[in-house]
Every structure is written in C-alpha cells, then in structure tokens.
Amino acid sequence: MLLHLSTWPEVETYLQQSQGIILPIGSTEQHGPTGLIGTDAICAESISKGVGEATEAMVAPTINVGMALHHTAFPGTISLRPSTLILVIKDYLTCLVKAGFTKFYFINGHGGNIATLKAAFSETYAHLEDLQIPNSAKVQCQIGNWFMGGSVYKLAKELYGNQEGSHATPSEVAVTQYIYPEAIKKAFLAPEVASGHKIYSAVDFRSRYPDGRMGSNPDLATPEHGKQFYNLSVEELSKGYLEFVKGE
C-alpha cells in the first residue's frame, strides 16, 4: 500500500493489523556524467515499493532530498543541511506516531544520509517522550541501506570488481537503467578516475573528483544488471523489514 494513494480510513484499517511503515529516502545529487541526479531517490523508491508489495507493508512518500552538501558544487544538486534533515525526519515521524505507527523502516539510497538519520532517530525518541505521546516508548527506527546488502555487494564485486567504486557506481546506475530505460545516458568517461580522497567542502570535493565519480566505471552498468540488483535487494530488505516489525 502506498500512503499517498490511500485514504485515511484505509490507513486506519491498516494500523489495526500493523504499526510498521517503510520510508524511502534518497538524495538529489550529481552522479557523474552518465548518472541521473535522482539516482539515490529512484533506487530507494523503487526498491521500497517492491518490499512493500512483498511484505504487504505501507510505504510512505519518498524523501527525495537528503544530506548531500559535498556535491553542491555540481549543478543540479539539492541538499538539506543535517540540522534541517533532522527536523524533517522528526516532524514526519511525530505525525505518524500520533496516527499509531511505531515501527519505522527507512530504505536508504544515499550513504551521506546515514549519520544524519541516526542523529534524527535519537532526537525523535527524546522529542516524543517530552511530548508524552502515547506509545512513544514503543517507537523504533531502523535503516536498511539497499546498496550495503550482502547479496548486492557480492554481485557488484562479481560484475565490476574494483570498478564498482563508491559513488556513481555501476550498480546504482544499473538500477536506474532498469527502472527508467528511456533515460539511459551516454557520455565520455575518462579511463582514469579519482578515488581515495577524504570528503570535506563541496568546492574541495569537485577539485578532487572533477567529473563527480569516485573510483567507479558506470559504463559497465546494464538494465539487466539492474534487475538483478533490484530483485536481490527487495528479497534481502523484505526479510529485514519483517524481522524488524516482528521483533521486540
């Protein structure tokens, strides 16, 4: 069930059976010369819908903009500050907890969101307790990073080896090619690609990674690979979600 395509009576009925909900979260940021700017959100949203169908879980609207300040020297990138994203998450969850949800499973498509999400969870737990909202003690949040799943990581290594890299990767580009085959992009990619530099400011990032890639070769991506990554991730995260909602 997609929350935005449901009515409030349908949500009320769902809550009688389950208090779990999936929240896709990604980013709107550069992904090299051939990667779509919406890659992280596209991956999170499509995989979340697959998990929702497999587990009969409610899926919230995708949070398309995340914490990607280090990419803002590239045109098209949109980012929230960590403090802003924390407030967004806190407001989202407060509304949903008041409705009766207590188990929040974030399917994440962007590594830069992880630290901020964890901080947001701590802020939210304290905020809900301060408000003395009923069931606040039962509220639990968990992150499922689709790109860090064991089966996904294994397949990426088998297909791409060290050319997987860590940003604008062929695995994530492949998923977008599977979801949006009409939007596959082609461009010249230099055989030498920067890797291994620490992340500081946006200007410094672009100077170290001039085309936006981090050790990756997205030319290796295909829609067929994307389907494999999608299926593996949906299977793995479906198990993770069910374990989470059934756990204490």
PDB file of all heavy atoms in Angstrom, residues 124-151:
ATOM      1  N   THR A 124      14.307  12.285  17.752  1.00  0.00           N
ATOM      2  CA  THR A 124      12.878  11.965  17.712  1.00  0.00           C
ATOM      3  C   THR A 124      12.436  11.205  18.953  1.00  0.00           C
ATOM      4  O   THR A 124      11.374  11.505  19.527  1.00  0.00           O
ATOM      5  CB  THR A 124      12.558  11.148  16.448  1.00  0.00           C
ATOM      6  OG1 THR A 124      12.923  11.913  15.285  1.00  0.00           O
ATOM      7  CG2 THR A 124      11.075  10.809  16.381  1.00  0.00           C
ATOM      8  N   TYR A 125      13.224  10.219  19.383  1.00  0.00           N
ATOM      9  CA  TYR A 125      12.864   9.479  20.599  1.00  0.00           C
ATOM     10  C   TYR A 125      12.688  10.441  21.782  1.00  0.00           C
ATOM     11  O   TYR A 125      11.710  10.355  22.539  1.00  0.00           O
ATOM     12  CB  TYR A 125      13.934   8.445  20.945  1.00  0.00           C
ATOM     13  CG  TYR A 125      14.157   7.364  19.908  1.00  0.00           C
ATOM     14  CD1 TYR A 125      15.432   6.862  19.678  1.00  0.00           C
ATOM     15  CD2 TYR A 125      13.102   6.835  19.175  1.00  0.00           C
ATOM     16  CE1 TYR A 125      15.659   5.872  18.737  1.00  0.00           C
ATOM     17  CE2 TYR A 125      13.321   5.839  18.223  1.00  0.00           C
ATOM     18  CZ  TYR A 125      14.609   5.365  18.007  1.00  0.00           C
ATOM     19  OH  TYR A 125      14.837   4.375  17.079  1.00  0.00           O
ATOM     20  N   ALA A 126      13.636  11.359  21.940  1.00  0.00           N
ATOM     21  CA  ALA A 126      13.578  12.303  23.054  1.00  0.00           C
ATOM     22  C   ALA A 126      12.392  13.253  22.902  1.00  0.00           C
ATOM     23  O   ALA A 126      11.699  13.564  23.879  1.00  0.00           O
ATOM     24  CB  ALA A 126      14.884  13.095  23.125  1.00  0.00           C
ATOM     25  N   HIS A 127      12.155  13.707  21.667  1.00  0.00           N
ATOM     26  CA  HIS A 127      11.048  14.626  21.397  1.00  0.00           C
ATOM     27  C   HIS A 127       9.707  13.985  21.726  1.00  0.00           C
ATOM     28  O   HIS A 127       8.841  14.609  22.363  1.00  0.00           O
ATOM     29  CB  HIS A 127      11.096  15.032  19.921  1.00  0.00           C
ATOM     30  CG  HIS A 127       9.966  15.919  19.482  1.00  0.00           C
ATOM     31  ND1 HIS A 127       9.821  17.210  19.916  1.00  0.00           N
ATOM     32  CD2 HIS A 127       8.934  15.686  18.620  1.00  0.00           C
ATOM     33  CE1 HIS A 127       8.743  17.741  19.360  1.00  0.00           C
ATOM     34  NE2 HIS A 127       8.196  16.839  18.573  1.00  0.00           N
ATOM     35  N   LEU A 128       9.519  12.737  21.320  1.00  0.00           N
ATOM     36  CA  LEU A 128       8.255  12.043  21.576  1.00  0.00           C
ATOM     37  C   LEU A 128       8.031  11.822  23.069  1.00  0.00           C
ATOM     38  O   LEU A 128       6.906  11.939  23.564  1.00  0.00           O
ATOM     39  CB  LEU A 128       8.237  10.705  20.838  1.00  0.00           C
ATOM     40  CG  LEU A 128       8.239  10.787  19.299  1.00  0.00           C
ATOM     41  CD1 LEU A 128       8.405   9.407  18.701  1.00  0.00           C
ATOM     42  CD2 LEU A 128       6.965  11.454  18.787  1.00  0.00           C
ATOM     43  N   GLU A 129       9.098  11.505  23.784  1.00  0.00           N
ATOM     44  CA  GLU A 129       8.985  11.332  25.239  1.00  0.00           C
ATOM     45  C   GLU A 129       8.619  12.649  25.909  1.00  0.00           C
ATOM     46  O   GLU A 129       7.790  12.690  26.829  1.00  0.00           O
ATOM     47  CB  GLU A 129      10.286  10.779  25.814  1.00  0.00           C
ATOM     48  CG  GLU A 129      10.526   9.321  25.469  1.00  0.00           C
ATOM     49  CD  GLU A 129      11.783   8.777  26.123  1.00  0.00           C
ATOM     50  OE1 GLU A 129      12.518   9.557  26.769  1.00  0.00           O
ATOM     51  OE2 GLU A 129      12.044   7.562  25.991  1.00  0.00           O
ATOM     52  N   ASP A 130       9.232  13.749  25.450  1.00  0.00           N
ATOM     53  CA  ASP A 130       8.923  15.060  26.028  1.00  0.00           C
ATOM     54  C   ASP A 130       7.461  15.430  25.819  1.00  0.00           C
ATOM     55  O   ASP A 130       6.831  16.050  26.675  1.00  0.00           O
ATOM     56  CB  ASP A 130       9.821  16.139  25.402  1.00  0.00           C
ATOM     57  CG  ASP A 130      11.275  16.023  25.844  1.00  0.00           C
ATOM     58  OD1 ASP A 130      11.535  15.321  26.847  1.00  0.00           O
ATOM     59  OD2 ASP A 130      12.140  16.630  25.179  1.00  0.00           O
ATOM     60  N   LEU A 131       6.925  15.055  24.655  1.00  0.00           N
ATOM     61  CA  LEU A 131       5.520  15.345  24.353  1.00  0.00           C
ATOM     62  C   LEU A 131       4.565  14.384  25.050  1.00  0.00           C
ATOM     63  O   LEU A 131       3.354  14.617  25.056  1.00  0.00           O
ATOM     64  CB  LEU A 131       5.284  15.274  22.840  1.00  0.00           C
ATOM     65  CG  LEU A 131       5.958  16.334  21.971  1.00  0.00           C
ATOM     66  CD1 LEU A 131       5.627  16.110  20.507  1.00  0.00           C
ATOM     67  CD2 LEU A 131       5.544  17.739  22.389  1.00  0.00           C
ATOM     68  N   GLN A 132       5.117  13.311  25.580  1.00  0.00           N
ATOM     69  CA  GLN A 132       4.315  12.270  26.260  1.00  0.00           C
ATOM     70  C   GLN A 132       3.219  11.724  25.344  1.00  0.00           C
ATOM     71  O   GLN A 132       2.085  11.500  25.750  1.00  0.00           O
ATOM     72  CB  GLN A 132       3.699  12.814  27.559  1.00  0.00           C
ATOM     73  CG  GLN A 132       4.745  13.229  28.584  1.00  0.00           C
ATOM     74  CD  GLN A 132       4.145  13.668  29.903  1.00  0.00           C
ATOM     75  OE1 GLN A 132       3.015  14.164  29.951  1.00  0.00           O
ATOM     76  NE2 GLN A 132       4.880  13.475  30.982  1.00  0.00           N
ATOM     77  N   ILE A 133       3.612  11.504  24.083  1.00  0.00           N
ATOM     78  CA  ILE A 133       2.686  10.914  23.121  1.00  0.00           C
ATOM     79  C   ILE A 133       2.488   9.439  23.457  1.00  0.00           C
ATOM     80  O   ILE A 133       3.461   8.723  23.711  1.00  0.00           O
ATOM     81  CB  ILE A 133       3.236  11.068  21.682  1.00  0.00           C
ATOM     82  CG1 ILE A 133       3.281  12.543  21.304  1.00  0.00           C
ATOM     83  CG2 ILE A 133       2.398  10.282  20.682  1.00  0.00           C
ATOM     84  CD1 ILE A 133       3.876  12.805  19.938  1.00  0.00           C
ATOM     85  N   PRO A 134       1.244   8.959  23.486  1.00  0.00           N
ATOM     86  CA  PRO A 134       1.012   7.536  23.760  1.00  0.00           C
ATOM     87  C   PRO A 134       1.797   6.653  22.784  1.00  0.00           C
ATOM     88  O   PRO A 134       1.919   6.968  21.610  1.00  0.00           O
ATOM     89  CB  PRO A 134      -0.504   7.386  23.538  1.00  0.00           C
ATOM     90  CG  PRO A 134      -1.061   8.748  23.808  1.00  0.00           C
ATOM     91  CD  PRO A 134      -0.013   9.708  23.317  1.00  0.00           C
ATOM     92  N   ASN A 135       2.324   5.563  23.316  1.00  0.00           N
ATOM     93  CA  ASN A 135       3.111   4.588  22.542  1.00  0.00           C
ATOM     94  C   ASN A 135       4.506   5.088  22.161  1.00  0.00           C
ATOM     95  O   ASN A 135       5.215   4.418  21.417  1.00  0.00           O
ATOM     96  CB  ASN A 135       2.383   4.148  21.262  1.00  0.00           C
ATOM     97  CG  ASN A 135       1.187   3.264  21.539  1.00  0.00           C
ATOM     98  OD1 ASN A 135       1.177   2.515  22.524  1.00  0.00           O
ATOM     99  ND2 ASN A 135       0.179   3.364  20.709  1.00  0.00           N
ATOM    100  N   SER A 136       4.916   6.264  22.665  1.00  0.00           N
ATOM    101  CA  SER A 136       6.224   6.788  22.289  1.00  0.00           C
ATOM    102  C   SER A 136       7.352   5.850  22.715  1.00  0.00           C
ATOM    103  O   SER A 136       8.378   5.763  22.033  1.00  0.00           O
ATOM    104  CB  SER A 136       6.447   8.175  22.894  1.00  0.00           C
ATOM    105  OG  SER A 136       6.432   8.128  24.311  1.00  0.00           O
ATOM    106  N   ALA A 137       7.154   5.123  23.793  1.00  0.00           N
ATOM    107  CA  ALA A 137       8.189   4.189  24.252  1.00  0.00           C
ATOM    108  C   ALA A 137       8.331   2.989  23.325  1.00  0.00           C
ATOM    109  O   ALA A 137       9.347   2.284  23.373  1.00  0.00           O
ATOM    110  CB  ALA A 137       7.887   3.721  25.674  1.00  0.00           C
ATOM    111  N   LYS A 138       7.328   2.753  22.487  1.00  0.00           N
ATOM    112  CA  LYS A 138       7.369   1.628  21.559  1.00  0.00           C
ATOM    113  C   LYS A 138       7.975   1.993  20.201  1.00  0.00           C
ATOM    114  O   LYS A 138       8.194   1.117  19.360  1.00  0.00           O
ATOM    115  CB  LYS A 138       5.957   1.080  21.328  1.00  0.00           C
ATOM    116  CG  LYS A 138       5.308   0.480  22.576  1.00  0.00           C
ATOM    117  CD  LYS A 138       3.933  -0.063  22.241  1.00  0.00           C
ATOM    118  CE  LYS A 138       3.270  -0.678  23.473  1.00  0.00           C
ATOM    119  NZ  LYS A 138       1.914  -1.194  23.156  1.00  0.00           N
ATOM    120  N   VAL A 139       8.247   3.259  19.994  1.00  0.00           N
ATOM    121  CA  VAL A 139       8.737   3.714  18.688  1.00  0.00           C
ATOM    122  C   VAL A 139      10.164   3.240  18.449  1.00  0.00           C
ATOM    123  O   VAL A 139      11.040   3.400  19.312  1.00  0.00           O
ATOM    124  CB  VAL A 139       8.667   5.253  18.585  1.00  0.00           C
ATOM    125  CG1 VAL A 139       9.340   5.736  17.300  1.00  0.00           C
ATOM    126  CG2 VAL A 139       7.209   5.708  18.634  1.00  0.00           C
ATOM    127  N   GLN A 140      10.377   2.641  17.285  1.00  0.00           N
ATOM    128  CA  GLN A 140      11.696   2.159  16.889  1.00  0.00           C
ATOM    129  C   GLN A 140      11.946   2.510  15.428  1.00  0.00           C
ATOM    130  O   GLN A 140      11.037   2.430  14.605  1.00  0.00           O
ATOM    131  CB  GLN A 140      11.806   0.640  17.072  1.00  0.00           C
ATOM    132  CG  GLN A 140      11.693   0.173  18.519  1.00  0.00           C
ATOM    133  CD  GLN A 140      11.762  -1.338  18.642  1.00  0.00           C
ATOM    134  OE1 GLN A 140      11.784  -2.063  17.649  1.00  0.00           O
ATOM    135  NE2 GLN A 140      11.789  -1.821  19.870  1.00  0.00           N
ATOM    136  N   CYS A 141      13.182   2.902  15.135  1.00  0.00           N
ATOM    137  CA  CYS A 141      13.571   3.252  13.773  1.00  0.00           C
ATOM    138  C   CYS A 141      14.773   2.410  13.355  1.00  0.00           C
ATOM    139  O   CYS A 141      15.665   2.139  14.165  1.00  0.00           O
ATOM    140  CB  CYS A 141      13.954   4.731  13.679  1.00  0.00           C
ATOM    141  SG  CYS A 141      12.681   5.880  14.222  1.00  0.00           S
ATOM    142  N   GLN A 142      14.796   2.030  12.096  1.00  0.00           N
ATOM    143  CA  GLN A 142      15.910   1.244  11.582  1.00  0.00           C
ATOM    144  C   GLN A 142      16.199   1.671  10.136  1.00  0.00           C
ATOM    145  O   GLN A 142      15.290   2.063   9.411  1.00  0.00           O
ATOM    146  CB  GLN A 142      15.586  -0.247  11.644  1.00  0.00           C
ATOM    147  CG  GLN A 142      16.780  -1.151  11.346  1.00  0.00           C
ATOM    148  CD  GLN A 142      16.459  -2.620  11.607  1.00  0.00           C
ATOM    149  OE1 GLN A 142      16.461  -3.447  10.698  1.00  0.00           O
ATOM    150  NE2 GLN A 142      16.165  -2.942  12.850  1.00  0.00           N
ATOM    151  N   ILE A 143      17.483   1.577   9.756  1.00  0.00           N
ATOM    152  CA  ILE A 143      17.894   1.913   8.394  1.00  0.00           C
ATOM    153  C   ILE A 143      18.248   0.639   7.631  1.00  0.00           C
ATOM    154  O   ILE A 143      19.012  -0.191   8.136  1.00  0.00           O
ATOM    155  CB  ILE A 143      19.124   2.834   8.384  1.00  0.00           C
ATOM    156  CG1 ILE A 143      18.885   4.084   9.237  1.00  0.00           C
ATOM    157  CG2 ILE A 143      19.478   3.238   6.951  1.00  0.00           C
ATOM    158  CD1 ILE A 143      20.127   4.932   9.406  1.00  0.00           C
ATOM    159  N   GLY A 144      17.715   0.516   6.436  1.00  0.00           N
ATOM    160  CA  GLY A 144      18.115  -0.553   5.527  1.00  0.00           C
ATOM    161  C   GLY A 144      18.750   0.076   4.301  1.00  0.00           C
ATOM    162  O   GLY A 144      18.049   0.675   3.473  1.00  0.00           O
ATOM    163  N   ASN A 145      20.075   0.027   4.204  1.00  0.00           N
ATOM    164  CA  ASN A 145      20.780   0.607   3.060  1.00  0.00           C
ATOM    165  C   ASN A 145      20.829  -0.441   1.945  1.00  0.00           C
ATOM    166  O   ASN A 145      21.553  -1.431   2.054  1.00  0.00           O
ATOM    167  CB  ASN A 145      22.191   1.012   3.466  1.00  0.00           C
ATOM    168  CG  ASN A 145      22.212   2.017   4.597  1.00  0.00           C
ATOM    169  OD1 ASN A 145      21.670   3.105   4.474  1.00  0.00           O
ATOM    170  ND2 ASN A 145      22.817   1.638   5.722  1.00  0.00           N
ATOM    171  N   TRP A 146      20.076  -0.209   0.873  1.00  0.00           N
ATOM    172  CA  TRP A 146      19.958  -1.255  -0.154  1.00  0.00           C
ATOM    173  C   TRP A 146      21.313  -1.605  -0.747  1.00  0.00           C
ATOM    174  O   TRP A 146      21.580  -2.779  -1.054  1.00  0.00           O
ATOM    175  CB  TRP A 146      18.985  -0.816  -1.253  1.00  0.00           C
ATOM    176  CG  TRP A 146      19.560   0.099  -2.284  1.00  0.00           C
ATOM    177  CD1 TRP A 146      19.509   1.455  -2.294  1.00  0.00           C
ATOM    178  CD2 TRP A 146      20.299  -0.280  -3.447  1.00  0.00           C
ATOM    179  NE1 TRP A 146      20.166   1.953  -3.375  1.00  0.00           N
ATOM    180  CE2 TRP A 146      20.674   0.904  -4.115  1.00  0.00           C
ATOM    181  CE3 TRP A 146      20.700  -1.499  -4.005  1.00  0.00           C
ATOM    182  CZ2 TRP A 146      21.407   0.913  -5.290  1.00  0.00           C
ATOM    183  CZ3 TRP A 146      21.444  -1.507  -5.175  1.00  0.00           C
ATOM    184  CH2 TRP A 146      21.780  -0.313  -5.812  1.00  0.00           C
ATOM    185  N   PHE A 147      22.193  -0.635  -0.884  1.00  0.00           N
ATOM    186  CA  PHE A 147      23.482  -0.826  -1.551  1.00  0.00           C
ATOM    187  C   PHE A 147      24.499  -1.544  -0.671  1.00  0.00           C
ATOM    188  O   PHE A 147      25.577  -1.912  -1.144  1.00  0.00           O
ATOM    189  CB  PHE A 147      24.045   0.531  -1.991  1.00  0.00           C
ATOM    190  CG  PHE A 147      24.078   1.551  -0.888  1.00  0.00           C
ATOM    191  CD1 PHE A 147      25.181   1.690  -0.074  1.00  0.00           C
ATOM    192  CD2 PHE A 147      22.975   2.380  -0.665  1.00  0.00           C
ATOM    193  CE1 PHE A 147      25.211   2.627   0.941  1.00  0.00           C
ATOM    194  CE2 PHE A 147      22.989   3.322   0.354  1.00  0.00           C
ATOM    195  CZ  PHE A 147      24.109   3.437   1.159  1.00  0.00           C
ATOM    196  N   MET A 148      24.169  -1.736   0.616  1.00  0.00           N
ATOM    197  CA  MET A 148      25.085  -2.410   1.536  1.00  0.00           C
ATOM    198  C   MET A 148      24.651  -3.840   1.849  1.00  0.00           C
ATOM    199  O   MET A 148      25.271  -4.506   2.677  1.00  0.00           O
ATOM    200  CB  MET A 148      25.213  -1.603   2.833  1.00  0.00           C
ATOM    201  CG  MET A 148      25.881  -0.255   2.630  1.00  0.00           C
ATOM    202  SD  MET A 148      25.955   0.779   4.135  1.00  0.00           S
ATOM    203  CE  MET A 148      27.095  -0.184   5.138  1.00  0.00           C
ATOM    204  N   GLY A 149      23.592  -4.300   1.214  1.00  0.00           N
ATOM    205  CA  GLY A 149      23.143  -5.672   1.427  1.00  0.00           C
ATOM    206  C   GLY A 149      24.201  -6.671   0.997  1.00  0.00           C
ATOM    207  O   GLY A 149      24.911  -6.451   0.006  1.00  0.00           O
ATOM    208  N   GLY A 150      24.319  -7.759   1.721  1.00  0.00           N
ATOM    209  CA  GLY A 150      25.351  -8.754   1.426  1.00  0.00           C
ATOM    210  C   GLY A 150      25.271  -9.301   0.018  1.00  0.00           C
ATOM    211  O   GLY A 150      26.292  -9.417  -0.675  1.00  0.00           O
ATOM    212  N   SER A 151      24.064  -9.629  -0.431  1.00  0.00           N
ATOM    213  CA  SER A 151      23.907 -10.194  -1.776  1.00  0.00           C
ATOM    214  C   SER A 151      24.191  -9.156  -2.851  1.00  0.00           C
ATOM    215  O   SER A 151      24.738  -9.472  -3.917  1.00  0.00           O
ATOM    216  CB  SER A 151      22.494 -10.765  -1.944  1.00  0.00           C
ATOM    217  OG  SER A 151      21.509  -9.759  -1.742  1.00  0.00           O
TER     218      SER A 151
END
